């Protein structure tokens, strides 16, 4: 049975505008595997793939591997701390996936806040894929979900996050930030 892996590689100066080129490169070198996606962050590249085992690491050994995550394993840590750490490392897709299970089971205010955070991460995933128009529209949707909330939610400073989203919207520049 195939498991889903995220391989984090050191970014050697690739930009989101090179997404198509990089996706094609990884599709070629990982031809025996199902490549799901490639995401380009400022410090790393995420290779999202399916495999029965970790033998793909031999193929990727020409790259500096920073981390390998088997998404089929259960997280035993505080999910919100894990999510915050992923966001701050620009691993937005994993942030999204980590909080999505909590979001599905939540209700009311909690569901809306989680949806706003997930949308924010989704916006940055679109930026990593060089889809800035989509990213900007998703950021606006994230703000709409968060706009009625202030203060701290599960260690996330919602007021600060909204302030950063307002900066992005007013400047027209999608700029990643760290969550306090």
């Amino acid at each position: 049975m195939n498991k889903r892996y995220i391989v984090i590689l050191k970014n050697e100066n690739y930009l989101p505008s090179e997404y198509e080129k990089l996706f094609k490169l990884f599709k070629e070198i990982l031809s025996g595997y199902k490549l799901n996606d490639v995401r380009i962050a400022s410090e790393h590249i995420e290779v999202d793939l399916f495999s029965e085992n970790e033998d793909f690491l031999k193929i990727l050994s020409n790259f500096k591997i920073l981390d390998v995550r088997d998404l089929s394993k259960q997280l035993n840590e505080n999910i919100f701390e894990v999510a915050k750490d992923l966001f701050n490392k620009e691993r937005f897709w994993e942030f999204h996936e980590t909080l999505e299970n909590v979001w599905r089971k939540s209700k009311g205010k909690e569901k809306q806040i989680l949806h706003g955070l997930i949308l924010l991460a989704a916006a940055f995933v679109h930026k990593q894929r060089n889809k800035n128009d989509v990213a900007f529209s998703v950021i606006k949707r994230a703000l709409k979900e968060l706009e009625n909330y202030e203060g701290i939610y599960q260690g996330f400073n919602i007021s600060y996050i909204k302030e950063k989203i307002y900066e992005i919207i007013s400047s027209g520049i999608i700029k990643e930030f760290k969550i306090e």
Side-chain angles (χ1 to χ4, degrees):
M1 184 178 97
N2 278 343
K3 298 180 191 176
R4 190 167 188 177
Y5 292 91
I6 302 290
V7 183
I8 307 297
L9 307 173
K10 174 129 179 71
N11 186 346
E12 302 292 345
N13 300 315
Y14 285 98
L15 299 171
S17 59
E18 298 172 280
Y19 168 78
E20 297 293 333
K21 175 177 119 179
L22 205 55
F23 186 87
K24 184 177 178 185
L25 169 72
F26 283 111
K27 190 108 171 128
E28 288 174 15
I29 65 175
L30 293 166
S31 61
Y33 303 89
K34 182 176 185 253
L35 180 65
N36 190 50
D37 201 3
V38 173
R39 294 172 288 274
I40 305 168
S42 58
E43 300 291 321
H44 69 271
I45 296 167
E46 299 175 11
V47 179
D48 182 346
L49 66 113
F50 293 89
S51 177
E52 289 182 17
N53 53 49
E54 295 185 12
D55 58 352
F56 56 83
L57 293 173
K58 294 175 197 149
I59 296 168
L60 295 173
S61 63
N62 291 337
F63 297 89
K64 182 170 171 58
I65 299 172
L66 302 175
D67 194 9
V68 179
R69 187 155 174 234
D70 176 348
L71 295 182
S72 62
K73 291 183 180 173
Q74 282 292 94
L75 292 170
N76 294 325
E77 304 169 69
N78 179 315
I79 198 120
F80 296 103
E81 288 176 21
V82 170
K84 187 186 286 190
D85 184 55
L86 291 168
F87 188 95
N88 289 339
K89 289 179 178 175
E90 296 182 23
R91 291 167 65 173
F92 302 114
W93 184 86
E94 287 177 89
F95 173 91
H96 171 279
E97 288 292 304
T98 299
L99 289 184
E100 191 168 43
N101 289 329
V102 179
W103 170 74
R104 288 184 196 282
K105 298 172 189 169
S106 65
K107 293 182 169 121
K109 173 184 175 181
E110 181 178 35
K111 189 168 193 95
Q112 195 168 10
I113 291 171
L114 286 167
H115 192 231
L117 294 172
I118 289 168
L119 285 171
L120 177 62
F124 288 131
V125 169
H126 286 294
K127 180 183 185 267
Q128 290 175 336
R129 297 181 73 217
N130 198 37
K131 296 185 178 185
N132 292 327
D133 290 343
V134 175
F136 201 71
S137 73
V138 176
I139 283 173
K140 288 178 180 176
R141 288 176 41 214
L143 179 60
K144 195 169 194 165
E145 292 292 315
L146 297 172
E147 67 187 352
N148 294 321
Y149 304 103
E150 297 293 332
I152 307 296
Y153 167 76
Q154 296 289 347
F156 291 88
N157 185 334
I158 302 303
S159 303
Y160 173 79
I161 292 168
K162 286 176 19 183
E163 179 183 312
K164 295 311 248 177
I165 294 172
Y166 285 128
E167 287 175 17
I168 290 168
I169 291 171
S170 66
S171 71
I173 299 168
I174 303 166
K175 186 174 189 251
E176 295 88 348
F177 59 89
K178 305 276 189 231
I179 294 178
E180 295 182 338

